[in-house]
Amino acid sequence: MINNLFFNLIVAHILGDFYLQWGSSCKNKILYSVKGKDLWLHSLEIGILSWIAILDLRGWWLAACIMVSHFLIDWLKSHMQLNCKIYKISDSNCTELENGENKRYDLWVFLIDQILHISFIIVFANIWLGANNNWQQFGWLQEFAISHPLRTNTFVAMMLALKPANIIILLILGACKVSITSNKDDDHVNFHSGELIGWLERGLMLLFVVMSQYEAIGFLIAAKSILRFNEASSGSEKSEYVLTGTLLSLTIALLLGILILKL
């Protein structure tokens, strides 16, 4: 039973914490903390998504517990990011952030943040199910999960392989001080094109692993290497950045693919 409820709640968490939260909201949570609206709205969004995932009127207090814990964890995270000098405010009006001298610790703060969120979801779900042990999974979803477990696991893995994995890769590159210098004029374009390539790359690799088409992964990497040949052969910092990002994408896709095949 906990597996069914946890599946629903973890999907709601991934949607709310990654796909329905923008970069500007994350920035504002650090800048304004409880004084701004973003922390409150984001926590409310998590609570609503959690209640929808439970789809039971009795689940209001489980959703409320998840919402409050999410609020407190995110508040603590934003507090640590400033006080530990992972980020610092760069102007007197408190509207701009820049990387601090301890930016490399941002990866660990992110991982601790997610571990705490998931841990509280598991604990609260167990407590709620103890009081409401007649809860039932949605009929169609229960039937689909039983009939097609690999497809269900692949769906969750694909959600993780896209935006969450992209954030982890950027944090790992930042922690290892692997970066490139670029013009401010094309920062926006470079980021979004690289993000899209990463999404497609990891998504295809994950599908290839699930389908046991490992040769196709080699073909994909070879094709990308040919297209990036000029950058790779230049020995520049950009070539190192692209190579590191590609290897991290490959590692994450392989780990997720192997994990869902073993479940």
Side-chain angles (χ1 to χ4, degrees):
M1 187 72 73
I2 181 64
N3 292 336
N4 294 334
L5 183 59
F6 177 69
F7 174 84
N8 295 9
L9 291 174
I10 203 63
V11 169
H13 171 74
I14 295 171
L15 282 173
D17 217 25
F18 295 100
Y19 291 95
L20 299 179
Q21 182 175 208
W22 316 118
S24 57
S25 176
C26 296
K27 169 188 166 183
N28 289 336
K29 285 195 297 182
I30 299 172
L31 282 171
Y32 307 116
S33 189
V34 294
K35 296 180 181 178
K37 63 180 181 180
D38 292 270
L39 180 58
W40 298 91
L41 289 176
H42 173 64
S43 301
L44 179 62
E45 179 182 67
I46 292 292
I48 292 172
L49 287 171
S50 298
W51 200 0
I52 293 172
I54 303 165
L55 203 64
D56 189 320
L57 290 176
R58 299 171 299 174
W60 68 267
W61 65 264
L62 171 57
C65 287
I66 293 173
M67 178 181 69
V68 172
S69 68
H70 199 99
F71 177 91
L72 293 173
I73 293 168
D74 275 14
W75 168 77
L76 180 62
K77 178 185 176 183
S78 63
H79 182 74
M80 286 182 63
Q81 285 174 316
L82 278 181
N83 284 270
C84 295
K85 298 182 180 179
I86 295 171
Y87 291 97
K88 59 182 178 181
I89 299 172
S90 59
D91 67 330
S92 57
N93 295 323
C94 298
T95 57
E96 292 297 329
L97 281 179
E98 65 179 28
N99 294 338
E101 52 264 40
N102 293 325
K103 181 66 171 68
R104 63 188 181 280
Y105 296 133
D106 204 16
L107 172 63
W108 299 109
V109 172
F110 171 82
L111 293 175
I112 293 170
D113 169 73
Q114 292 303 313
I115 289 171
L116 287 173
H117 285 315
I118 294 171
S119 298
F120 275 105
I121 288 173
I122 294 173
V123 170
F124 290 141
N126 267 307
I127 294 172
W128 186 83
L129 281 173
N132 302 276
N133 53 17
N134 61 340
W135 178 85
Q136 295 292 326
Q137 176 67 285
F138 314 146
W140 63 270
L141 184 55
Q142 179 77 11
E143 183 179 344
F144 182 84
I146 293 174
S147 304
H148 307 283
L150 182 59
R151 294 183 186 181
T152 306
N153 294 337
T154 302
F155 169 73
V156 178
M158 190 64 72
M159 291 182 69
L160 293 171
L162 300 181
K163 193 170 181 181
N166 194 71
I167 293 172
I168 290 175
I169 289 172
L170 289 174
L171 290 172
I172 291 174
L173 291 173
C176 297
K177 298 183 180 179
V178 180
S179 62
I180 54 173
T181 54
S182 58
N183 271 323
K184 289 185 178 179
D185 295 335
D186 55 16
D187 269 350
H188 185 76
V189 176
N190 286 341
F191 175 77
H192 286 289
S193 61
E195 183 180 37
L196 178 59
I197 290 170
W199 283 31
L200 293 172
E201 186 177 76
R202 288 187 298 277
L204 288 172
M205 286 180 184
L206 179 59
L207 288 177
F208 291 151
V209 173
V210 173
M211 297 167 63
S212 298
Q213 297 295 320
Y214 296 100
E215 300 87 351
I217 297 176
F219 176 79
L220 179 64
I221 295 174
K224 182 177 180 181
S225 299
I226 292 171
L227 293 172
R228 297 276 195 175
F229 177 76
N230 289 335
E231 294 172 0
S233 61
S234 66
S236 64
E237 60 180 8
K238 189 172 183 179
S239 67
E240 295 179 357
Y241 186 86
V242 171
L243 176 60
T244 308
T246 300
L247 291 175
L248 286 170
S249 280
L250 173 62
T251 302
I252 290 172
L254 285 174
L255 288 175
L256 287 173
I258 293 170
L259 179 64
I260 62 175
L261 288 175
K262 296 295 183 181
L263 288 177

